[in-house]
Short mmCIF file of all heavy atoms in Angstrom, two decimals:
data_model
loop_
_atom_site.label_atom_id
_atom_site.label_comp_id
_atom_site.label_asym_id
_atom_site.label_seq_id
_atom_site.Cartn_x
_atom_site.Cartn_y
_atom_site.Cartn_z
N ASP P 30 112.88 177.41 -85.25
CA ASP P 30 113.93 177.71 -84.23
C ASP P 30 113.52 178.81 -83.26
O ASP P 30 114.29 179.20 -82.40
CB ASP P 30 115.19 178.15 -84.91
CG ASP P 30 115.95 176.99 -85.69
OD1 ASP P 30 115.74 175.84 -85.18
OD2 ASP P 30 116.68 177.28 -86.59
N ILE P 31 112.29 179.36 -83.43
CA ILE P 31 111.85 180.49 -82.62
C ILE P 31 111.84 180.11 -81.14
O ILE P 31 111.55 178.92 -80.78
CB ILE P 31 110.41 180.99 -83.03
CG1 ILE P 31 110.15 182.31 -82.39
CG2 ILE P 31 109.37 179.98 -82.69
CD1 ILE P 31 108.88 182.99 -82.95
N ARG P 32 112.25 181.03 -80.26
CA ARG P 32 112.27 180.71 -78.84
C ARG P 32 111.41 181.79 -78.16
O ARG P 32 111.65 182.94 -78.30
CB ARG P 32 113.63 180.76 -78.33
CG ARG P 32 114.55 179.66 -78.94
CD ARG P 32 115.95 179.57 -78.30
NE ARG P 32 116.65 180.87 -78.31
CZ ARG P 32 117.91 180.99 -78.04
NH1 ARG P 32 118.64 179.96 -77.60
NH2 ARG P 32 118.53 182.19 -78.11
N LEU P 33 110.44 181.35 -77.42
CA LEU P 33 109.53 182.20 -76.73
C LEU P 33 109.58 181.94 -75.25
O LEU P 33 109.84 180.76 -74.80
CB LEU P 33 108.09 182.04 -77.16
CG LEU P 33 107.82 182.12 -78.70
CD1 LEU P 33 106.39 181.78 -79.00
CD2 LEU P 33 108.18 183.60 -79.11
N LYS P 34 109.32 182.95 -74.42
CA LYS P 34 109.17 182.69 -73.00
C LYS P 34 107.95 181.79 -72.73
O LYS P 34 107.02 181.81 -73.53
CB LYS P 34 109.00 184.03 -72.28
CG LYS P 34 110.18 184.91 -72.26
CD LYS P 34 109.95 186.22 -71.49
CE LYS P 34 111.19 187.09 -71.48
NZ LYS P 34 110.93 188.42 -70.76
N PRO P 35 107.95 180.97 -71.69
CA PRO P 35 106.86 180.13 -71.39
C PRO P 35 105.56 180.96 -71.29
O PRO P 35 105.48 181.87 -70.60
CB PRO P 35 107.20 179.45 -70.07
CG PRO P 35 108.69 179.58 -70.04
CD PRO P 35 109.12 180.79 -70.69
N THR P 36 104.55 180.51 -72.10
CA THR P 36 103.26 181.23 -72.07
C THR P 36 102.15 180.27 -71.89
O THR P 36 102.24 179.17 -72.42
CB THR P 36 103.07 182.09 -73.30
OG1 THR P 36 103.22 181.25 -74.46
CG2 THR P 36 104.06 183.20 -73.39
N ASP P 37 101.05 180.65 -71.31
CA ASP P 37 99.89 179.92 -71.15
C ASP P 37 98.99 180.17 -72.42
O ASP P 37 98.29 181.23 -72.41
CB ASP P 37 99.17 180.24 -69.87
CG ASP P 37 97.94 179.37 -69.61
OD1 ASP P 37 97.43 178.74 -70.53
OD2 ASP P 37 97.47 179.32 -68.42
N GLU P 38 98.97 179.30 -73.38
CA GLU P 38 98.22 179.55 -74.58
C GLU P 38 96.75 179.61 -74.26
O GLU P 38 96.01 180.43 -74.95
CB GLU P 38 98.55 178.53 -75.61
CG GLU P 38 99.99 178.58 -76.10
CD GLU P 38 100.20 177.83 -77.45
OE1 GLU P 38 99.15 177.39 -78.05
OE2 GLU P 38 101.32 177.68 -77.83
N THR P 39 96.31 178.90 -73.37
CA THR P 39 94.83 178.95 -73.02
C THR P 39 94.49 180.28 -72.43
O THR P 39 93.41 180.87 -72.83
CB THR P 39 94.51 177.82 -71.92
OG1 THR P 39 94.80 176.59 -72.43
CG2 THR P 39 93.04 177.92 -71.52
N PHE P 40 95.38 180.89 -71.63
CA PHE P 40 95.13 182.21 -71.11
C PHE P 40 95.10 183.29 -72.19
O PHE P 40 94.28 184.13 -72.26
CB PHE P 40 96.21 182.59 -70.11
CG PHE P 40 96.19 184.04 -69.65
CD1 PHE P 40 95.25 184.46 -68.71
CD2 PHE P 40 97.10 184.97 -70.21
CE1 PHE P 40 95.21 185.82 -68.36
CE2 PHE P 40 97.05 186.30 -69.81
CZ PHE P 40 96.10 186.71 -68.88
N ILE P 41 96.07 183.15 -73.13
CA ILE P 41 96.13 184.12 -74.26
C ILE P 41 94.89 184.04 -75.11
O ILE P 41 94.25 185.06 -75.41
CB ILE P 41 97.35 183.85 -75.19
CG1 ILE P 41 98.65 184.11 -74.42
CG2 ILE P 41 97.32 184.65 -76.43
CD1 ILE P 41 99.92 183.79 -75.16
N CYS P 42 94.40 182.88 -75.37
CA CYS P 42 93.13 182.75 -76.16
C CYS P 42 91.91 183.21 -75.42
O CYS P 42 91.07 183.85 -76.01
CB CYS P 42 93.00 181.22 -76.58
SG CYS P 42 94.13 180.65 -77.80
N ARG P 43 91.88 182.97 -74.12
CA ARG P 43 90.76 183.42 -73.31
C ARG P 43 90.75 184.97 -73.30
O ARG P 43 89.68 185.61 -73.44
CB ARG P 43 90.81 182.89 -71.88
CG ARG P 43 90.32 181.56 -71.69
CD ARG P 43 89.92 181.30 -70.21
NE ARG P 43 90.96 181.67 -69.32
CZ ARG P 43 91.85 180.79 -68.78
NH1 ARG P 43 91.83 179.53 -69.15
NH2 ARG P 43 92.78 181.23 -67.91
N ARG P 44 91.89 185.58 -73.18
CA ARG P 44 91.99 187.04 -73.18
C ARG P 44 91.59 187.59 -74.56
O ARG P 44 90.82 188.60 -74.67
CB ARG P 44 93.40 187.55 -72.78
CG ARG P 44 93.43 189.05 -72.65
CD ARG P 44 94.76 189.52 -72.10
NE ARG P 44 95.87 189.30 -73.08
CZ ARG P 44 97.05 189.82 -72.88
NH1 ARG P 44 97.28 190.58 -71.80
NH2 ARG P 44 97.97 189.57 -73.75
N LEU P 45 92.07 186.92 -75.63
CA LEU P 45 91.68 187.43 -76.93
C LEU P 45 90.17 187.30 -77.14
O LEU P 45 89.59 188.15 -77.80
CB LEU P 45 92.45 186.63 -78.02
CG LEU P 45 93.88 187.00 -78.23
CD1 LEU P 45 94.60 185.98 -79.10
CD2 LEU P 45 94.01 188.41 -78.82
N GLN P 46 89.62 186.21 -76.68
CA GLN P 46 88.14 185.98 -76.80
C GLN P 46 87.40 187.07 -76.06
O GLN P 46 86.42 187.57 -76.54
CB GLN P 46 87.81 184.62 -76.28
CG GLN P 46 86.39 184.21 -76.54
CD GLN P 46 86.13 182.74 -76.19
OE1 GLN P 46 86.79 182.21 -75.31
NE2 GLN P 46 85.09 182.17 -76.78
N PHE P 47 87.95 187.46 -74.86
CA PHE P 47 87.22 188.47 -74.15
C PHE P 47 87.32 189.86 -74.85
O PHE P 47 86.39 190.55 -75.05
CB PHE P 47 87.82 188.59 -72.75
CG PHE P 47 87.39 189.82 -72.00
CD1 PHE P 47 86.10 189.92 -71.49
CD2 PHE P 47 88.22 190.94 -71.88
CE1 PHE P 47 85.70 191.09 -70.77
CE2 PHE P 47 87.83 192.09 -71.28
CZ PHE P 47 86.50 192.13 -70.71
N LEU P 48 88.54 190.16 -75.26
CA LEU P 48 88.79 191.43 -76.01
C LEU P 48 87.93 191.52 -77.26
O LEU P 48 87.31 192.60 -77.60
CB LEU P 48 90.28 191.62 -76.27
CG LEU P 48 91.20 191.85 -75.13
CD1 LEU P 48 92.66 191.83 -75.54
CD2 LEU P 48 90.87 193.10 -74.32
N GLY P 49 87.88 190.42 -77.96
CA GLY P 49 87.12 190.41 -79.20
C GLY P 49 85.58 190.47 -78.97
O GLY P 49 84.88 190.94 -79.85
N SER P 50 85.15 190.18 -77.76
CA SER P 50 83.70 190.26 -77.45
C SER P 50 83.33 191.74 -77.17
O SER P 50 82.13 192.04 -77.21
CB SER P 50 83.37 189.39 -76.25
OG SER P 50 83.91 189.88 -75.05
N ARG P 51 84.29 192.54 -76.85
CA ARG P 51 84.06 193.94 -76.52
C ARG P 51 84.52 194.88 -77.63
O ARG P 51 83.99 195.98 -77.86
CB ARG P 51 84.80 194.35 -75.25
CG ARG P 51 84.40 193.59 -73.94
CD ARG P 51 83.10 194.16 -73.49
NE ARG P 51 82.68 193.56 -72.20
CZ ARG P 51 81.75 192.69 -72.03
NH1 ARG P 51 81.15 192.19 -73.12
NH2 ARG P 51 81.44 192.23 -70.83
N ILE P 52 85.58 194.49 -78.37
CA ILE P 52 86.17 195.38 -79.41
C ILE P 52 86.10 194.61 -80.73
O ILE P 52 86.47 193.47 -80.87
CB ILE P 52 87.73 195.59 -79.06
CG1 ILE P 52 87.83 196.28 -77.71
CG2 ILE P 52 88.31 196.46 -80.17
CD1 ILE P 52 89.27 196.38 -77.24
N LYS P 53 85.50 195.28 -81.71
CA LYS P 53 85.25 194.69 -83.07
C LYS P 53 86.46 194.56 -83.89
O LYS P 53 86.63 193.54 -84.62
CB LYS P 53 84.16 195.49 -83.80
CG LYS P 53 82.76 195.38 -83.20
CD LYS P 53 81.80 196.22 -84.06
CE LYS P 53 80.41 196.20 -83.49
NZ LYS P 53 79.44 196.89 -84.32
N THR P 54 87.39 195.50 -83.79
CA THR P 54 88.49 195.57 -84.75
C THR P 54 89.88 195.45 -84.04
O THR P 54 90.12 196.15 -83.13
CB THR P 54 88.45 196.94 -85.49
OG1 THR P 54 87.14 197.08 -86.09
CG2 THR P 54 89.50 197.04 -86.56
N ALA P 55 90.66 194.54 -84.65
CA ALA P 55 92.06 194.43 -84.23
C ALA P 55 92.96 195.03 -85.31
O ALA P 55 92.59 195.09 -86.49
CB ALA P 55 92.40 192.98 -84.00
#
């Protein structure tokens, strides 16, 4: 039943991929 604002999942994953390439630890 969760409701989220419309998000671009591809964009979120691309940003996470970039951040992970620079930062080792989340």
Side-chain angles (χ1 to χ4, degrees):
D30 289 334
I31 194 170
R32 297 186 303 190
L33 306 175
K34 292 181 179 179
T36 55
D37 184 342
E38 295 197 7
T39 301
F40 171 78
I41 293 175
C42 290
R43 279 202 308 265
R44 186 172 67 168
L45 284 170
Q46 188 172 24
F47 169 77
L48 293 172
S50 70
R51 296 282 187 258
I52 301 172
K53 292 182 179 181
T54 305

